[in-house]
């Protein structure tokens, strides 16, 4: 991962945008922000904050403690803290902050909140993830082998009272089957390049399909797509 990120970083520094063997000259390409975000997150490294999922009763108790700390103005939640600066403690719900202490000194980035939101959605056995959500999750889960993710996901979901629909044809498949997000970059760069070329020729995806499908079978054969 470090080698790939370093090579991609060099390509960006030289004024170009390259994903695998594909060079992205269009700065409006939807793939470019994903690549650049990956590079920045790799350079910055993991964060130093810890996110904890609380029950409703625990959240109520924490919010009461936050209010007491705000009233006293000392920024402390417990006596005996010996650190140089009081720690940041914030209570969130659905990615929105409710209360906090010492937040102005150490604000939480949107990127960090989005990563936590996608991770919690994965732990909740959800299967619908957008493009950015897939990349954020793969960035977090790439240290685990795909078969380990699949086993974990299936075991957790099996404990829920939900319809056990196959995940293989859902957006979650990319998170559970791909080793890391770099595999998706080249695929999506290819799709972005194809979309730009169709637009340059004034063709819709349906018109392009009919142009390739010379057999008029309604199905695209490999030989038709290759030609």
């Amino acid at each position: 991962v470090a080698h790939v990120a370093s090579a991609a970083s060099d390509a960006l520094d030289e004024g170009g945008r390259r994903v695998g063997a594909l060079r992205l000259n269009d700065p409006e390409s939807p793939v470019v922000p994903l690549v650049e975000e990956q590079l920045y997150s790799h350079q910055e490294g993991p964060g130093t904050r810890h996110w904890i999922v609380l029950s409703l009763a625990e959240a109520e108790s924490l919010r009461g403690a936050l209010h007491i700390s705000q009233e006293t103005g000392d920024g402390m939640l417990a006596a005996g803290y010996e650190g140089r600066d009081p720690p940041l403690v914030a209570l969130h719900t659905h990615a929105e902050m409710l209360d906090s202490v010492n937040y102005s000194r150490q604000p939480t980035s949107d990127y960090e909140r989005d990563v936590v939101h996608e991770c919690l959605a994965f732990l909740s056995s959800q299967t619908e993830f957008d493009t950015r959500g897939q990349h954020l999750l793969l960035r977090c889960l790439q240290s685990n082998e795909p078969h380990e993710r699949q086993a974990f996901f299936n075991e957790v979901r099996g404990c829920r009272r939900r319809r056990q629909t196959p995940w293989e044809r859902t957006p979650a498949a990319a998170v559970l089957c791909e080793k890391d997000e770099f595999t998706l970059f080249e695929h999506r760069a290819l799709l972005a390049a194809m979309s730009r070329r169709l637009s340059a020729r004034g063709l819709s995806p349906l018109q392009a399909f009919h142009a390739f499908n010379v057999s008029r079978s309604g199905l695209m054969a490999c030989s038709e797509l290759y030609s």
Side-chain angles (χ1 to χ4, degrees):
V1 173
H3 177 72
V4 175
S6 177
S9 181
D10 293 340
L12 290 174
D13 290 340
E14 294 171 359
R17 287 178 168 85
R18 183 181 297 277
V19 182
L22 299 175
R23 188 176 183 81
L24 303 179
N25 296 319
D26 183 4
E28 300 301 323
S29 170
V31 183
V32 171
L34 295 173
V35 176
E36 293 179 335
E37 187 178 58
Q38 160 62 18
L39 295 178
Y40 297 146
S41 67
H42 179 80
Q43 292 169 357
E44 293 172 0
T48 58
R49 294 190 176 94
H50 300 278
W51 294 73
I52 303 173
V53 180
L54 303 177
S55 66
L56 180 58
E58 291 169 335
E60 290 175 345
S61 299
L62 176 59
R63 194 170 194 185
L66 290 172
H67 287 176
I68 294 174
S69 178
Q70 292 167 358
E71 291 175 358
T72 58
D74 59 3
M76 303 292 291
L77 287 181
Y81 179 76
E82 298 179 355
R84 183 178 61 181
D85 296 319
L88 160 66
V89 179
L91 181 64
H92 292 76
T93 177
H94 299 292
E96 296 296 330
M97 189 178 67
L98 297 178
D99 281 301
S100 69
V101 292
N102 307 315
Y103 184 80
S104 59
R105 187 173 62 251
Q106 299 173 322
T108 305
S109 67
D110 292 338
Y111 171 81
E112 187 173 359
R113 286 196 297 271
D114 291 343
V115 169
V116 173
H117 180 269
E118 298 299 338
C119 288
L120 294 180
F122 180 79
L123 293 175
S124 184
S125 305
Q126 295 186 27
T127 57
E128 298 298 323
F129 300 95
D130 59 17
T131 299
R132 184 168 181 265
Q134 290 174 332
H135 282 267
L136 293 178
L137 272 176
L138 282 171
R139 207 167 301 162
C140 298
L141 301 176
Q142 60 186 349
S143 59
N144 305 111
E145 294 296 327
H147 72 273
E148 296 175 335
R149 296 179 221 154
Q150 295 170 20
F152 173 84
F153 187 84
N154 289 330
E155 290 176 7
V156 172
R157 192 175 63 155
C159 299
R160 303 185 185 280
R161 292 184 177 181
R162 297 180 188 172
R163 183 179 179 183
Q164 303 294 308
T165 56
W167 51 260
E168 286 80 1
R169 294 185 177 274
T170 70
V175 178
L176 296 171
C177 296
E178 301 296 344
K179 185 174 182 179
D180 54 49
E181 73 272 27
F182 292 101
T183 307
L184 300 181
F185 282 146
E186 186 161 2
H187 172 69
R188 283 170 176 155
L190 178 63
L191 293 179
M194 184 184 302
S195 177
R196 288 198 304 274
R197 293 180 180 180
L198 290 179
S199 298
R201 288 168 172 77
L203 295 175
S204 68
L206 180 60
Q207 292 171 327
F209 177 85
H210 286 310
F212 278 104
N213 187 219
V214 294
S215 65
R216 298 295 182 264
S217 63
L219 299 174
M220 184 73 72
C222 294
S223 58
E224 292 175 328
L225 185 61
Y226 180 78
S227 62

